[in-house]
Amino acid sequence: MKTVTIIVPCFNEAEVLPEFYRETRAVTDAAQGYDFSFLFVDDGSRDATLSILRTLQAENKDAGYLSFSRNFGKEAAMYAGLSRAKGDYVIVMDADLQHPPALIPQMLEGIEEGYDCCAAYRVSRKGEARIRSLFSSAFYHLSNRLSDVKMKQGAVDFRIMSRRMVDAILQLSEVERFSKGIFAWVGYETKWIPYENVERTLGKTKWTFGGLLRYALAGITSFSVTPLRMITWTGFIISVLAFLYIVVTIVQTLIFGIDVPGYVTTLCAILFLGGLVELSVGILGEYLSHLYLEAKRRPIYLLKEEAAPAGDEDAAEDH
Ligand code: UDP
Ligand code: MG
């Protein structure tokens, strides 16, 4: 029987966790021919999440958990889950029921067809702030233009992956992780399943607008060096234009004599170039900050507690 590990990153999800487990269990219990287990990752929650997970683990054979020493972010939680998951297939999904468990059987079908990955994407964004949808679509356009790694618009972190794809992802051991890019970067064929956006009914989103913007910027600079090249090209083009302007000015001066005005032109040029230089230094800084954080090789997460599903230990004793 094929084993499937479901990884669920949880940060302050006490309100929704019992409901999540009930609904998802209903789906996994109905799916024949697979042995499911849950691996919850408590990402330093400050509410009752951890105690709920302890109870779930104690009362059910298929639930295990990891708990971080503090909040390390969803990316770290997914990485921890992937590195601990033992299943032949691994599913990653959110705890807030925005990733409909009902899609799991379809995902399993996809992977049985021979795909290494079967992932969900949203065809609608109803219930989401308009400004957020606008920025998100701008991000995908920009990122796909700038980078060779093409990301699917509307893709969410709800997917099933084969063992070899999970192992490939684990080889990308960068500290600053951007999973949407990593999933695309490792390649392998993905089958896409559309679904309607589901609004969060319990608990609330952990994302702030600024946080999303920083995440998007990190995403672009993690997977593309095109912005660096753009600096080079901008500098080159400005130098050529400046040179032409010098020639024109010299010729004009020789023919018409010295022309005194030019205060506004000078000011505009200084301000424009000043802005451009600052922007370029900023872009360089972004890449430098990646180097800085990666060079330190700090661990991606730190555990304070963990418990495997009771069923796993039973299976181990059987051998
Ligand atoms: N999450 C996490 N660590 C964080 C933030 C979020 O593990 O620092 C989890 C959260 O518990 C949820 C998932 O990541 O299961 C998605 O978070 P959220 O629903 O806030 O994001 P959204 O659906 O609004 O994009
Ligand atoms: Mg959510």
Side-chain angles (χ1 to χ4, degrees):
M1 197 145 66
K2 286 262 163 59
T3 52
V4 184
T5 309
I6 302 180
I7 299 171
V8 191
C10 312
F11 177 51
N12 296 344
E13 301 288 7
E15 264 176 275
V16 65
L17 262 178
E19 181 68 20
F20 168 86
Y21 183 67
R22 208 171 315 129
E23 284 199 24
T24 314
R25 257 302 284 275
V27 174
T28 55
D29 285 348
Q32 297 291 316
Y34 297 96
D35 187 3
F36 288 93
S37 63
F38 288 79
L39 181 54
F40 294 93
V41 185
D42 164 39
D43 184 13
S45 299
R46 287 180 281 270
D47 63 358
T49 299
L50 181 56
S51 62
I52 291 176
L53 292 180
R54 286 192 192 119
T55 318
L56 279 181
Q57 196 270 344
E59 291 175 356
N60 301 278
K61 281 193 154 216
D62 64 348
Y65 64 87
L66 306 173
S67 181
F68 288 177
S69 62
R70 64 166 169 86
N71 179 246
F72 279 87
K74 182 185 176 185
E75 292 290 339
M78 285 201 287
Y79 179 80
L82 289 175
S83 57
R84 302 278 172 139
K86 298 195 186 87
D88 300 313
Y89 301 139
V90 177
I91 294 177
V92 186
M93 69 192 291
D94 285 1
D96 57 6
L97 286 169
Q98 283 189 295
H99 295 165
L103 292 182
I104 291 176
Q106 248 172 292
M107 291 189 156
L108 285 165
E109 270 170 40
I111 207 143
E112 292 299 347
E113 281 167 29
Y115 289 92
D116 277 285
C117 178
C118 190
Y121 73 99
R122 289 188 287 190
V123 282
S124 71
R125 286 180 157 263
K126 72 171 184 332
E128 193 182 75
R130 237 186 106 58
I131 181 88
R132 188 169 160 180
S133 318
L134 261 158
F135 267 92
S136 159
S137 104
F139 163 75
Y140 279 106
H141 281 118
L142 187 68
S143 171
N144 286 344
R145 268 197 88 108
L146 291 179
S147 164
D148 294 336
V149 176
K150 304 290 178 224
M151 287 181 267
K152 186 169 180 74
Q153 174 114 34
V156 293
D157 298 329
F158 178 23
R159 52 177 66 221
I160 185 168
M161 289 173 281
S162 65
R163 175 51 37 200
R164 66 172 173 182
M165 179 151 169
V166 172
D167 290 342
I169 289 169
L170 292 173
Q171 284 184 45
L172 276 75
S173 57
E174 56 232 58
V175 179
E176 281 191 288
R177 306 184 69 77
F178 186 73
S179 287
K180 284 184 188 354
I182 293 176
F183 291 144
W185 188 92
V186 295
Y188 297 110
E189 244 193 303
T190 300
K191 180 176 180 182
W192 291 100
I193 301 180
Y195 79 101
E196 293 281 334
N197 191 37
V198 181
E199 281 183 59
R200 202 190 236 273
T201 47
L202 293 166
K204 52 180 190 295
T205 178
K206 309 300 172 317
W207 286 105
T208 59
F209 191 69
L212 275 175
L213 222 55
R214 273 195 300 280
Y215 184 65
L217 192 66
I220 291 177
T221 47
S222 302
F223 283 90
S224 166
V225 289
T226 313
L228 288 176
R229 271 195 211 115
M230 278 160 58
I231 299 178
T232 314
W233 279 106
T234 316
F236 178 72
I237 293 167
I238 290 178
S239 306
V240 170
L241 292 178
F243 181 75
L244 292 178
Y245 188 64
I246 291 170
V247 173
V248 170
T249 315
I250 290 175
V251 172
Q252 259 182 349
T253 313
L254 289 178
I255 299 174
F256 303 111
I258 293 178
D259 197 10
V260 186
Y263 171 72
V264 175
T265 332
T266 315
L267 196 65
C268 289
I270 290 178
L271 289 179
F272 175 69
L273 289 178
L276 218 56
V277 170
E278 289 292 326
L279 184 71
S280 308
V281 173
I283 293 176
L284 279 178
E286 282 300 317
Y287 287 91
L288 190 67
S289 74
H290 282 304
L291 273 180
Y292 170 68
L293 291 170
E294 296 301 334
K296 291 206 258 194
R297 296 267 91 205
R298 284 182 179 165
I300 298 173
Y301 62 90
L302 291 173
L303 287 181
K304 73 168 180 215
E305 194 177 316
E306 69 179 305
D312 276 13
E313 279 148 27
D314 291 354
E317 277 162 22
D318 288 347
H319 288 302

